[in-house]
Amino acid sequence: MRSPCALALGSIVLSGIFLAPRFLAAPPGSSPAPAPRPRVAGPAVSGGAPHARAADVVLRGGAVYTMDAVRSWAEAVAIRRDTIVYAGPDAGVAPYVGPRTKVVNLSGRMVLPAFQDSHIHPISGGISHRQCALYDFKTREDYVGAVAKYAQQHPQAAWIRGDGWSLAAFAPSGVPDRKLLDAVVSDRPVYLESSDGHSAWVNSRALSIAKITKDTPDPPGGRIDRDPKTGEPLGGLQDSAMDLVARHAPPYTPEDRREGLRFALKMLNGLGITSLQDASVQTESLEAYRALNEKGELTMRVVASLWWERDQGEEQIPGFIEARRRYTRGRVRATTVKIMQDGVMEVQTAAMLEPYKGKPGVRGLTMVEPEALKKYVTRLDQEGFQVHFHAIGDAAIRECLDAVEAARSKNGARDSRHHISHLEIFHPADIPRFRALGVVANFQPLWAYADDYIVKLTLPFLEPERARWLYPIGSL
């Protein structure tokens, strides 16, 4: 699993409008096909638009890709408030131009619907880019050098925190070594999350503060990586074990979150993204969204996925209902609940129906007991929530589908749009269940190629027959 769990692009769909700079959109040798003029109330006015029908913005002289199979291309677009009131040839847009209309001459540039990212973590991703960011480095030596430089430049920082290291840099195990960090920072705790957000790399000082020793048990839904001979912690923490250290770090302030969100909005808007699903939010994140929304700074439509605490049960649901009531306003909808059902393939924490190759008895981590999951999802569905599942292994995928099936059996079918994110490896029998249950398959196609994550950290632990069902996007 790579990094839509930060600010890398996740699952992209289309919404809104995006202006692509200097991109000639029509196929070579072609031009935008004339499109029929839409029906508009009132007479056409060749000398300019009366105030009541004037557009706020007109884009003209471009290559406009409409996503309409009947009339795919246009030259001009007129927008009034939040509605596209015209898309067609330049000759037809004049009636929408009034004295206050902003007219943009595109000079052949492309206009297309803007993008929506359906699984991303903008606030934490924005914060991490403002800390010891490791996204631009590839090797463990590069990471260590970056940490040393950051620590030297920030002598006042009580903790060294960052994000963005790749599990592939520590192949074949994917587990980092605390001693590498100890060599450059030994006097302060270091806590670095991986680019996928499911692993942490810490130094000995951080382990000491958290009182993690060889005798510390793995927490439910997590794993402390250990030396196989001595049992001593190596410096890698998986999933819920990350919190054993993270909870000792100074909490981020409201201003940290607002600035992280501002950073993310600027980056995402610059890539043409105007809507997103934040894949895990708690009250502090919702307050950041509300603050920017109230100031008119939230340049994004946001569906916020309320985080399901795995060590709790149905007692959380009244709080979700209150959060939905309180924070759903403006450009924010707190209408989804995020349930993490397993980990990731690369460190064998994704929940599997059969053991990993070469790892007898190791089937990964199931985060929520399957029968309990059915009960929770049924109740959430009954309360009108969409459920946003994380499931990578074939066992976790099946458990999520079983939970939706139980909810539909009890509550009946509705337009719930429950969706499962990531979906790395399937049992083929479960593929047709997506259509039957109305479950949205939220793939990240960017991951579906033979990079180091697949070649070095995934394929070695799968038999060839099972590996055939990695990312069966076309079949689904």
Side-chain angles (χ1 to χ4, degrees):
M1 178 177 176
R2 288 66 157 194
S3 56
C5 293
L7 279 180
L9 303 188
S11 305
I12 303 296
V13 294
L14 295 172
S15 66
I17 283 186
F18 174 49
L19 174 61
R22 306 304 305 170
F23 188 89
L24 299 178
S30 68
S31 59
R37 181 174 173 178
R39 297 171 62 186
V40 179
V45 181
S46 59
H51 179 72
R53 67 181 302 186
D56 299 313
V57 178
V58 164
L59 310 175
R60 63 190 311 170
V64 180
Y65 189 49
T66 66
M67 305 297 293
D68 184 335
V70 176
R71 49 190 186 107
S72 300
W73 294 95
E75 296 171 310
V77 173
I79 304 161
R80 185 185 303 126
R81 296 184 180 174
D82 60 356
T83 302
I84 296 173
V85 294
Y86 175 83
D90 274 343
V93 79
Y96 298 93
V97 178
R100 298 182 181 177
T101 302
K102 179 180 179 180
V103 178
V104 178
N105 291 309
L106 297 172
S107 302
R109 287 180 291 175
M110 184 180 186
V111 174
L112 72 161
F115 300 111
Q116 173 178 326
D117 195 311
S118 61
H119 185 100
I120 195 168
H121 301 268
I123 296 177
S124 58
I127 289 173
S128 70
H129 276 270
R130 294 163 53 82
Q131 298 182 132
C132 184
L134 302 176
Y135 299 97
D136 294 333
F137 304 105
K138 295 184 181 299
T139 69
R140 61 186 76 185
E141 293 79 15
D142 290 339
Y143 298 148
V144 171
V147 171
K149 182 178 179 180
Y150 183 89
Q152 184 179 23
Q153 293 175 342
H154 298 81
Q156 80 290 351
W159 282 62
I160 305 299
R161 285 190 282 189
D163 201 334
W165 58 273
S166 169
L167 299 175
F170 298 93
S173 69
V175 175
D177 188 347
R178 60 183 166 82
K179 295 176 183 177
L180 294 173
L181 296 177
D182 292 345
V184 293
V185 182
S186 60
D187 60 331
R188 289 177 281 173
V190 179
Y191 177 87
L192 307 169
E193 293 194 4
S194 61
S195 61
D196 63 17
H198 287 267
S199 303
W201 179 15
V202 299
N203 68 350
S204 295
R205 179 65 180 144
L207 291 171
S208 175
I209 289 173
K211 295 181 171 58
I212 297 174
T213 70
K214 66 179 182 179
D215 299 318
T216 305
D218 289 343
R223 190 183 76 210
I224 300 167
D225 294 314
R226 307 170 193 269
D227 185 296
K229 294 181 179 178
T230 67
E232 292 291 341
L234 291 171
L237 303 170
Q238 307 301 329
D239 287 297
S240 65
M242 298 162 64
D243 190 54
L244 298 176
V245 169
R247 65 191 179 201
H248 294 279
Y252 293 116
T253 67
E255 184 58 23
D256 289 335
R257 291 186 177 83
R258 291 191 292 268
E259 285 303 308
L261 180 54
R262 290 186 180 103
F263 180 98
L265 291 173
K266 183 177 180 180
M267 174 187 285
L268 296 171
N269 287 158
L271 295 169
I273 298 171
T274 60
S275 302
L276 63 84
Q277 289 217 10
D278 188 324
S280 64
V281 300
Q282 294 171 314
T283 301
E284 297 85 356
S285 296
L286 291 167
E287 286 291 339
Y289 281 119
R290 181 165 73 171
L292 268 63
N293 193 38
E294 290 176 348
K295 293 180 180 179
E297 297 180 34
L298 188 59
T299 55
M300 191 83 62
R301 289 182 174 88
V302 176
V303 174
S305 302
L306 308 168
W307 179 253
W308 182 275
E309 295 289 353
R310 298 190 291 271
D311 59 351
Q312 299 179 36
E314 286 183 277
E315 69 273 14
Q316 301 176 77
I317 295 177
F320 294 151
I321 295 170
E322 173 58 21
R324 180 174 59 186
R325 182 199 67 78
R326 183 176 183 184
Y327 293 104
T328 297
R329 60 191 64 196
R331 291 179 172 171
V332 179
R333 288 190 292 142
T335 53
T336 297
V337 174
K338 169 67 176 297
I339 297 179
M340 184 84 68
Q341 190 57 12
D342 69 347
V344 295
M345 294 289 293
E346 295 80 14
V347 289
Q348 298 86 56
T349 55
M352 302 291 281
L353 293 170
E354 299 295 335
Y356 287 90
K357 178 183 174 183
K359 301 272 186 175
V362 177
R363 297 172 184 253
L365 300 174
T366 293
M367 305 295 190
V368 182
E369 194 278 322
E371 289 304 313
L373 183 68
K374 292 178 184 178
K375 181 172 66 172
Y376 302 153
V377 172
T378 298
R379 173 77 186 282
L380 290 168
D381 181 77
Q382 187 179 48
E383 296 291 350
F385 285 101
Q386 177 191 56
V387 181
H388 181 159
F389 299 96
H390 164 115
I392 284 182
D394 52 10
I397 292 169
R398 178 168 293 180
E399 289 158 2
C400 294
L401 291 170
D402 289 348
V404 174
E405 186 173 54
R408 284 169 65 99
S409 177
K410 177 73 177 296
N411 302 332
R414 67 178 183 88
D415 187 19
S416 54
R417 305 193 188 189
H418 302 311
H419 58 119
I420 305 177
S421 288
H422 309 322
L423 299 166
E424 188 162 351
I425 188 164
F426 283 75
H427 189 288
D430 288 320
I431 290 177
R433 299 180 68 197
F434 280 78
R435 172 177 284 186
L437 296 172
V439 175
V440 178
N442 188 349
F443 283 106
Q444 282 67 50
L446 179 64
W447 301 347
Y449 72 103
D451 65 349
D452 285 347
Y453 271 64
I454 294 292
V455 173
K456 295 181 179 180
L457 298 176
T458 301
L459 291 177
F461 303 101
L462 295 174
E463 294 82 2
E465 177 59 29
R466 296 175 77 191
R468 288 184 58 235
W469 297 102
L470 283 167
Y471 295 118
I473 299 174
S475 298
L476 193 63

